[in-house]
């Protein structure tokens, strides 16, 4: 019954989010000259504010702390006049060796009802968004060519704490290392694309061999106690060193709500080499354990449709 209620609620939420219109710049927006100014705009906002940002392209030093969001009920929105407009944040330079969780572009700290809309984040080295809070939304965002935090945890977008919840709609994750999304709470993904992401335990970064990712869940990793729902999303050419190249779920609380597709998601060895050794495929959700969290399942539940084009 609990699973049915979760599924019913998530379907209703997903269908509602499907009809979110694109926002056009009919109202004034704030200009952003650099990352420091973006930080000031967001951290000075009050609960309930809608922050409309004029499209911009700025850089973030990968050794620089990200923006800590500690205010509830914020809608941070790129005021796009067309789909081609974007609020672009580009990571530059090498990253620090510190394992602290302060370097993500956006670090949501125990806040609820925060929406990030229309951002384009590329080349960041310590993850893009860390979510600790309820009812967080990522809408119409793009995450490219980035890396996760160090060690065997974290991803480009990370949902921490079992009480946290995130909905991702109409977003793209492409060519990221360390996994695109890691979930420990409740995750709903709809109308999104995951392509060429890799969860590998070791790769070369800043001329140093570092441990990143656990080798599972190239696109999405659903961790212990996590609940995940996927709808109308594409998983193409994602990689993992261990298993679950597209989607890995530690336990059965991961649901394919339909209209998802997969193609070319493979388990590989020697990912640092020019020629990779393909060990297996899974174009769907890989379930590691049964409901007791101890009995092996090792089931690949393939999505009902193969993606027909990139």
């Amino acid at each position: 019954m609990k699973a049915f209620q979760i599924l019913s609620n998530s379907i209703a939420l997903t269908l509602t989010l499907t009809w979110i219109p694109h926002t056009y710049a009919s109202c004034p927006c704030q200009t952003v000259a650099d990352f420091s100014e973006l930080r000031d705009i967001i951290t000075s906002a009050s609960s309930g504010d809608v922050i409309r940002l004029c499209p911009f392209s700025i850089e973030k030093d990968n050794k620089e702390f990200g923006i800590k969001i500690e205010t509830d009920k914020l809608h941070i929105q790129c005021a796009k006049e067309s789909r081609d407009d974007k609020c672009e944040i580009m990571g530059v330079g090498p990253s620090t060796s510190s394992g602290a969780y302060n370097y993500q572009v956006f670090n949501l700290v125990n806040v609820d009802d925060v929406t990030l809309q229309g951002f384009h984040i590329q080349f960041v080295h310590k993850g893009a968004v860390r979510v600790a809070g309820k009812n967080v939304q990522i809408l119409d965002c793009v995450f490219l060519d980035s890396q996760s935090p160090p060690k065997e945890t974290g991803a480009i977008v990370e949902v921490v704490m079992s009480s946290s919840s995130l909905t991702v709609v109409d977003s793209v994750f492409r060519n990221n290392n360390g996994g695109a999304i890691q979930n420990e709470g409740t995750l709903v993904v709809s109308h999104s694309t995951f392509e060429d992401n890799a969860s590998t335990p070791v790769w070369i970064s800043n001329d140093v061999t570092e441990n990143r990712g656990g080798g599972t869940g190239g696109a999405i990793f659903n961790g212990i106690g996590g609940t995940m729902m996927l709808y109308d999303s594409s998983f193409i050419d994602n990689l993992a060193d261990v298993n679950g190249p597209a989607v890995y779920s530690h336990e059965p609380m991961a649901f394919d709500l339909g209209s998802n597709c997969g193609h070319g998601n493979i388990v590989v060895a020697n990912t640092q080499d020019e020629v990779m050794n393909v060990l297996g495929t899974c174009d769907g959700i890989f379930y590691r354990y049964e409901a007791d969290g101890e009995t092996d399942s090792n089931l690949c539940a393939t999505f009902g449709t193969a993606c027909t084009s990139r």
Side-chain angles (χ1 to χ4, degrees):
M1 179 62 70
K2 180 180 178 182
F4 177 78
Q5 291 174 339
I6 292 173
L7 284 170
S8 300
N9 293 340
S10 65
I11 291 171
L13 174 61
T14 301
L15 291 176
T16 300
L17 288 169
T18 301
W19 296 102
I20 292 175
H22 295 297
T23 303
Y24 295 90
S26 57
C27 299
C29 55
Q30 299 185 63
T31 59
V32 177
D34 53 34
F35 192 72
S36 177
E37 185 170 21
L38 177 62
R39 186 197 310 275
D40 291 343
I41 291 171
I42 292 173
T43 56
S44 63
S46 300
S47 179
D49 283 355
V50 176
I51 303 172
R52 290 176 50 82
L53 305 170
C54 304
F56 61 78
S57 180
I58 60 175
E59 295 181 344
K60 175 191 177 296
D61 191 322
N62 283 319
K63 290 184 178 179
E64 179 182 9
F65 280 5
I67 298 171
K68 185 179 291 186
I69 299 176
E70 300 178 282
T71 303
D72 290 318
K73 298 182 175 61
L74 291 181
H75 189 154
I76 307 169
Q77 175 189 73
C78 186
K80 301 165 64 171
E81 292 186 341
S82 73
R83 291 285 287 179
D84 294 331
D85 288 338
K86 55 190 175 183
C87 291
E88 182 177 61
I89 301 171
M90 308 282 283
V92 294
S95 58
T96 174
S97 60
S98 170
Y101 290 107
N102 296 307
Y103 297 94
Q104 291 93 339
V105 177
F106 298 112
N107 186 0
L108 281 62
V109 183
N110 299 320
V111 291
D112 300 337
D113 303 305
V114 172
T115 297
L116 302 173
Q117 182 174 0
F119 288 94
H120 183 112
I121 298 176
Q122 190 168 12
F123 302 132
V124 298
H125 285 191
K126 293 284 187 175
V129 182
R130 187 169 191 260
V131 175
K134 299 176 182 177
N135 302 323
V136 176
Q137 297 185 84
I138 293 176
L139 311 178
D140 185 27
C141 289
V142 177
F143 303 90
L144 301 176
D145 305 313
S146 294
Q147 300 176 3
S148 75
K151 302 185 180 179
E152 293 188 0
T153 60
I156 305 307
V157 172
E158 183 182 11
V159 183
V160 300
M161 303 191 311
S162 60
S163 59
S164 296
S165 59
L166 170 67
T167 298
V168 178
V169 180
D170 193 23
S171 295
V172 174
F173 296 79
R174 182 175 291 120
N175 198 35
N176 299 296
N177 284 321
I181 300 178
Q182 178 170 302
N183 174 54
E184 297 176 1
T186 300
L187 172 68
V188 176
V189 176
S190 172
H191 297 80
S192 294
T193 298
F194 298 81
E195 184 176 351
D196 291 322
N197 302 289
S199 181
T200 58
V202 177
W203 74 81
I204 304 302
S205 173
N206 301 332
D207 298 322
V208 176
T209 300
E210 301 181 17
N211 292 323
R212 296 170 182 270
T216 57
I220 301 177
F221 177 93
N222 188 49
I224 298 174
T227 298
M228 175 183 66
M229 282 89 39
L230 307 176
Y231 177 70
D232 197 18
S233 294
S234 300
F235 298 83
I236 304 170
D237 295 343
N238 300 288
L239 305 178
D241 267 6
V242 180
N243 47 40
V247 182
Y248 174 100
S249 184
H250 191 272
E251 295 168 11
M253 295 300 287
F255 304 100
D256 174 1
L257 301 184
S259 301
N260 298 299
C261 72
H263 175 74
N265 299 285
I266 57 177
V267 178
V268 298
N270 54 288
T271 55
Q272 296 298 317
D273 297 340
E274 185 175 342
V275 178
M276 292 183 293
N277 180 21
V278 178
L279 304 179
T281 65
C282 181
D283 291 325
I285 303 174
F286 179 90
Y287 295 93
R288 179 64 181 90
Y289 293 108
E290 301 287 353
D292 60 10
E294 297 179 357
T295 305
D296 288 346
S297 172
N298 292 325
L299 170 67
C300 175
T302 303
F303 296 131
T305 303
C307 301
T308 56
S309 62
R310 293 174 67 95

